[in-house]
């Protein structure tokens, strides 16, 4: 089971797209909440035997620069899958941004466990 707690969250866009951000994420019993300087995330996940997958939504809380791929796009739906250990987690995510599908790699480091 992935550990409940507060995580440092760092995402990087793939496929030559400029994007990504650093922020925090809280994982608790299959639910995830977090955000960055411009966006917030809410989602759910399942995990077992070092693997996890889930879905989350991304919305702006503060207008992001127009150069950000998700700026002013409304709710963005994201699916992901990856691996975890007692120290953190990683995942590959696909975000549906308008008619585009963007790929992200995310690293999460456990800061404080429950």
């Amino acid at each position: 089971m992935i550990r409940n707690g507060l995580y440092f969250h760092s995402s990087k866009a793939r496929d030559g797209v400029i994007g990504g951000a650093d922020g925090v994420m809280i994982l608790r019993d299959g639910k995830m909440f977090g955000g960055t300087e411009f966006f917030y995330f809410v989602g759910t996940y399942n995990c077992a035997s070092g693997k996890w997958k889930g879905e989350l939504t991304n919305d702006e809380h503060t207008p992001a620069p127009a150069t950000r791929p998700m700026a002013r796009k409304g709710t963005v739906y994201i699916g992901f899958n990856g691996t975890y250990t007692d120290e953190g987690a990683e995942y590959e995510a696909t975000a549906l941004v308008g008619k585009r599908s963007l790929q992200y790699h995310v690293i999460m480091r456990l800061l404080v466990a429950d």
Side-chain angles (χ1 to χ4, degrees), residues 2 8 37 41 44 54-55 63 73 77 83 94 106:
I2 196 166
F8 171 74
E37 69 273 34
F41 316 106
T44 60
E55 302 174 335
K73 301 295 189 220
Y77 297 92
T83 60
T94 301
V106 179

Side-chain angles (χ1 to χ4, degrees), residues 51-102:
K51 295 185 180 189
W52 70 315
K53 63 181 179 177
E55 302 174 335
L56 54 121
T57 58
N58 177 92
D59 281 290
E60 277 181 285
H61 60 73
T62 300
T67 56
R68 299 274 181 123
M70 294 186 198
R72 291 174 262 323
K73 301 295 189 220
T75 301
V76 173
Y77 297 92
I78 301 168
F80 71 88
N81 64 65
T83 60
Y84 66 89
T85 67
D86 282 342
E87 292 82 35
E90 290 190 49
Y91 63 85
E92 299 296 326
T94 301
L96 301 175
V97 183
K99 294 182 179 183
R100 293 178 70 187
S101 175
L102 300 177

